[in-house]
Amino acid sequence: MTEFLQQIVNGLTIGSLYALIAVGYTVVYGIVQLINFAHGEVFMIGSFGALATWSVLFKGQTGLWVLPIMVFGAVAVSVLTAVVMERLAYRPLRNAPRLAPLITAIGISVFLQEAVRLFYPGAKSKLTFPEIDVVTGSALAIGGLNIQRAAIFTVGALVVSAIVLWFFVNRTRLGQGMQAVSQDPDTAQLMGINVNRIIVIAFAVGAALAAVAGVAQGLLNSNIDFRMGFLAGLKAFTAAVLGGIGNIQGAVVGGLTLGIAESMATQFIPGQFGGSAWKDVWAFVLLILVLVFRPQGLLGARVVDRA
């Protein structure tokens, strides 16, 4: 029983990471019907932004007070990247066939990876992420379970982000504008809503959450890598589809479900098909099963396909 609960904890940790990234996929898709495959690289750039903030301003400092500023630096860099990406690469293709922005997204993903590899000092190999007091260090033993301190930060970041995002979408004029544009952009524009501005905000919101996930990833693994965005982004996209792409709650549920499924498969599937080497396989098997029996995802999609 203890081992089962331990895997639930592990699954919720990695699932929270997936969920934070998946929300970015689903928010952008809900607004412009675009699968932004470069979103994984926005997550990666967030972690490098946090590391750069620490290296320039606080190198050698490990106090907890440093962490909020690192998160702010990560969010600033990721949001700037996402906004520039939308303005220069996606906006000119807004009325193009869907294949064009999809291929562009893959190109941007490769470009961002190479840009970080070539221009960030030492990024050609893994870089050590700083240890921060309280949120890193020896694991906590609670009721026979080992809980990483960074795991608490990761799950807490998801809870806080989900609450703030819910309030933003449902209780603010900008959030209501996002809902209106997701349902019918032409009518929303006739009603006086600035559609371009709403789309930029959607990219910025997704990037901010991905940046928080980037910091969490650095704290969990103690290192970061310019290739870390590819697989994490792919898993987060899987989580968004699993939960019902276009549905914010679905992205959170999909991320947590995927994380728990991976963790359980790693521990409890016996023989050559078990273990960490097969966790990605079982994650995608779960996605296939859900799409076969419930194509709209676990919670369905609120946004009607306008194509």
Side-chain angles (χ1 to χ4, degrees), residues 13-14 17 20 43 46-48 50-51 54 61-64 66-71 74 127-139 147-157 210-225 228:
T13 303
I14 190 67
L17 204 63
L20 282 168
F43 153 75
S47 65
F48 275 87
L51 178 59
W54 180 82
Q61 298 284 340
T62 60
L64 183 60
V66 171
L67 186 59
I69 304 174
M70 289 174 62
V71 172
L127 292 176
T128 302
F129 203 79
E131 300 276 329
I132 301 296
D133 295 345
V134 180
V135 294
T136 58
S138 56
I147 302 177
Q148 280 187 280
R149 295 166 186 260
I152 298 173
F153 171 82
T154 306
V155 176
V212 174
V215 177
Q217 172 84 347
L219 294 173
L220 283 168
N221 293 350
S222 300
N223 60 67
I224 58 175
D225 184 82
M228 61 188 270

Side-chain angles (χ1 to χ4, degrees), residues 16-267:
S16 297
L17 204 63
Y18 293 153
L20 282 168
I21 309 170
V23 169
Y25 279 104
T26 213
V27 167
V28 169
Y29 182 85
I31 300 292
V32 291
Q33 307 283 287
L34 166 69
I35 298 173
N36 180 17
F37 277 120
H39 189 61
E41 271 53 59
V42 174
F43 153 75
M44 176 270 291
I45 285 175
S47 65
F48 275 87
L51 178 59
T53 303
W54 180 82
S55 299
V56 172
L57 300 177
F58 310 111
K59 194 163 188 176
Q61 298 284 340
T62 60
L64 183 60
W65 59 273
V66 171
L67 186 59
I69 304 174
M70 289 174 62
V71 172
F72 179 80
V75 169
V77 174
S78 288
V79 168
L80 179 63
T81 302
V83 169
V84 171
M85 184 194 314
E86 190 280 331
R87 183 65 186 88
L88 299 182
Y90 294 141
R91 191 177 298 186
L93 299 175
R94 195 170 296 165
N95 297 317
R98 285 191 177 188
L99 194 57
L102 192 64
I103 293 173
T104 301
I106 295 172
I108 295 172
S109 174
V110 175
F111 171 80
L112 291 175
Q113 276 193 34
E114 289 301 303
V116 171
R117 184 179 72 87
L118 293 173
F119 297 113
Y120 194 97
K124 293 181 180 178
S125 56
K126 289 185 177 180
L127 292 176
T128 302
F129 203 79
E131 300 276 329
I132 301 296
D133 295 345
V134 180
V135 294
T136 58
S138 56
L140 302 175
I142 302 175
L145 304 177
N146 290 320
I147 302 177
Q148 280 187 280
R149 295 166 186 260
I152 298 173
F153 171 82
T154 306
V155 176
L158 174 63
V159 172
V160 172
S161 298
I163 293 172
V164 171
L165 186 61
W166 179 89
F167 182 85
F168 176 75
V169 170
N170 294 284
R171 293 289 186 270
T172 67
R173 289 178 63 84
L174 286 175
Q176 291 169 354
M178 289 174 65
Q179 294 185 58
V181 173
S182 72
Q183 292 169 7
D184 191 333
D186 295 330
T187 303
Q189 192 161 23
L190 290 173
M191 298 296 290
I193 295 174
N194 187 330
V195 174
N196 285 333
R197 184 183 177 204
I198 293 295
I199 291 173
V200 169
I201 290 171
F203 272 84
V205 168
L209 297 183
V212 174
V215 177
Q217 172 84 347
L219 294 173
L220 283 168
N221 293 350
S222 300
N223 60 67
I224 58 175
D225 184 82
F226 73 92
R227 291 162 292 202
M228 61 188 270
F230 176 75
L231 187 56
L234 195 59
K235 290 288 188 66
F237 172 67
T238 302
V241 174
L242 189 64
I245 193 162
N247 185 313
I248 293 175
Q249 291 85 354
V252 175
V253 171
L256 296 178
T257 303
L258 187 66
I260 291 173
E262 271 191 21
S263 185
M264 291 294 177
T266 300
Q267 184 64 32

Side-chain angles (χ1 to χ4, degrees), residues 241-245 287-298 300-301:
V241 174
L242 189 64
I245 193 162
L287 174 66
I288 292 170
L289 289 175
V290 170
L291 291 180
V292 168
F293 294 104
R294 191 174 170 80
Q296 72 272 33
L298 295 174

